[in-house]
Amino acid sequence: MDSEDAPEVADPVEALNASVDRPEGPWVMPREYDIGGVRWFSDASRELARALHPLLAQVTREELAEGPPPQTEGAPLPEEASSLYRPMAIRHEWTVSIEDVAAFNRDQFLADLYALADSMGGQMVRGMLSTSPP
């Protein structure tokens, strides 16, 4: 069988690009690295927050396939909501120096991750202990 007669095999990178909504043009990171990086970052910040805030570490976690729909700010909770349910808005602003990124400054990244986890954990503990509605 000639190579001209062989069925056309899609390039795996092209197939990966076609399977996700990627802009046309070059990209630097494969999608699986993006997914793995987000998962690592989320797990690392959550576990570090639990290590920094012992009260937060005592709260058990359950994974849900689907959570309640997001509530608009100030809207009343649905009737079926538990009296223990309390939505919390958590915010942290992270400013990154392009020089640190270009230099792969891991120490600065880890210090920023620590600050994020401490801020996030502190806000969650304050939200849990707050007696006033959000």
Side-chain angles (χ1 to χ4, degrees):
M1 178 185 246
D2 279 322
S3 61
E4 293 175 346
D5 298 332
E8 189 174 315
V9 176
D11 180 12
V13 173
E14 294 287 333
L16 183 61
N17 255 347
S19 68
V20 294
D21 293 332
R22 287 204 181 269
E24 292 298 320
W27 52 277
V28 182
M29 184 171 52
R31 182 74 176 143
E32 59 270 19
Y33 286 21
D34 187 24
I35 293 167
V38 168
R39 182 172 294 146
W40 179 89
F41 186 81
S42 177
D43 290 348
S45 60
R46 185 174 34 254
E47 292 306 316
L48 189 53
R50 293 171 67 82
L52 291 169
H53 299 275
L55 181 61
L56 187 60
Q58 292 179 14
V59 176
T60 59
R61 299 193 52 215
E62 295 295 327
E63 296 289 330
L64 300 175
E66 291 184 25
Q71 298 289 316
T72 56
E73 196 169 329
L77 293 175
E79 289 180 24
E80 64 271 8
S82 166
S83 61
L84 300 176
Y85 176 74
R86 183 182 318 192
M88 289 179 246
I90 297 173
R91 176 182 160 90
H92 181 83
E93 193 168 312
W94 185 330
T95 304
V96 178
S97 162
I98 191 68
E99 290 84 15
D100 288 337
V101 172
F104 294 98
N105 188 342
R106 290 184 307 269
D107 292 339
Q108 184 61 51
F109 172 77
L110 293 174
D112 290 343
L113 178 63
Y114 180 92
L116 165 74
D118 190 28
S119 172
M120 180 177 74
Q123 291 177 58
M124 290 175 75
V125 168
R126 282 189 299 279
M128 290 187 315
L129 298 176
S130 174
T131 57
S132 60

